[in-house]
Amino acid sequence: MPLRGVAPGVPTDRVHLPRDVRASLDTGSDGDTVVVACPPHPQHGGTRHDGRLIAVSDALPDRIDCLRFDYGPWDEGRGERTDAKNACAWAAERYDRVALFGYSFGGGVALSVARETDVTAVAALSPVARLDDGTDVTAAVSRIDAPLWVGYGTRDDTVNAEIVAEAAREAGGTVETFAADHFFVGQEAAVADRVAAFVDG
C-alpha cells in the first residue's frame, strides 16, 4: 500500500480532522498499520505531545505509523470520543489495520470508542474508569471485540485504573502492572516497549 503522501520517517502536523482537531502522523515506511493515540485530559494539559504518546510512537517498529491527535473544544468527553472516532475513520481510509492507544483520560476514550470502531487492537495505559460525561469505561471494556491490553502503575493514586484492569481480565484481555505511579517517570520507554509489542503482536 503506498504511503499516504508523506515522506517516510518524517512526522507531519498537516493532518486536520473535524472539530478543528490537529494531528501529527509519525511515519516510518510504507506499512499498512497505524496506531491512533489518544492524549490525556485536555483540561490538565494533555496534548498529542504527551511524553507517553511520543514514547509509544518511538517504540513502534518502522512498519507501524502513529497518528497522535489533540482534542477539539472541550465537550465533557462526548466530543473527545467523537475526535477519536474521526481519527480512526481518517486512518481507516488510508491503512488496512488501525489500532487504538490511550493514556489516562485518553485510555478511557480509547476503550470507550473501541467497541464502536473497527480496530485490530486497543491498548490503554492507566485508563480512567469514568469519563467526565459519566461514560462508564469499565462497562465498555466487556463489549470490545478486539485484542485488549491494559497497563497501570501499582502506585497510581491519581486514577482507579485497577478497576478497569479487572474488567479487562474478565473480558479475556492482557493486563500488565508496573512499579510506578500514574506518570511512569523514568519508565516511559519500558512501558512503551510493552505497548508496542502488544500492538505488533
Side-chain angles (χ1 to χ4, degrees), residues 10-200:
V10 177
T12 176
D13 293 335
R14 288 175 279 185
V15 178
H16 300 279
L17 302 169
R19 278 190 11 102
D20 196 30
V21 168
R22 303 284 193 267
S24 299
L25 179 65
D26 304 325
T27 90
S29 70
D30 291 342
D32 65 353
T33 304
V34 65
V35 174
V36 174
C38 306
H41 206 299
Q43 291 197 318
H44 299 290
T47 73
R48 69 185 187 270
H49 304 295
D50 178 82
R52 280 123 317 213
L53 270 63
I54 291 173
V56 167
S57 181
D58 289 346
L60 292 169
D62 285 345
R63 66 183 176 278
I64 301 179
D65 294 348
C66 186
L67 180 68
R68 297 176 287 113
F69 68 93
D70 288 330
Y71 301 112
W74 173 243
D75 191 28
E76 304 287 337
R78 290 177 295 273
E80 290 70 27
R81 287 197 314 276
T82 297
D83 296 336
K85 291 177 195 174
N86 288 338
C88 288
W90 183 94
E93 290 177 358
R94 294 159 176 84
Y95 295 84
D96 295 332
R97 301 178 70 236
V98 178
L100 263 170
F101 166 70
Y103 163 64
S104 194
F105 174 84
V109 169
L111 293 170
S112 64
V113 304
R115 63 187 175 90
E116 304 171 34
T117 55
D118 185 18
V119 294
T120 57
V122 59
L125 182 62
S126 293
V128 297
R130 186 172 297 275
L131 299 181
D132 295 61
D133 67 349
T135 297
D136 185 345
V137 175
T138 58
V141 165
S142 65
R143 299 191 295 273
I144 294 174
D145 186 25
L148 168 65
W149 181 94
V150 173
Y152 69 97
T154 54
R155 299 193 302 270
D156 191 340
D157 58 6
T158 302
V159 303
N160 189 2
E162 191 169 357
I163 191 171
V164 182
E166 184 54 38
R169 281 192 194 94
E170 291 176 3
T174 300
V175 173
E176 291 191 52
T177 59
F178 302 88
D181 63 10
H182 185 69
F183 303 101
F184 299 93
V185 175
Q187 299 187 53
E188 296 93 337
V191 172
D193 284 344
R194 300 304 307 140
V195 174
F198 169 76
V199 171
D200 192 31

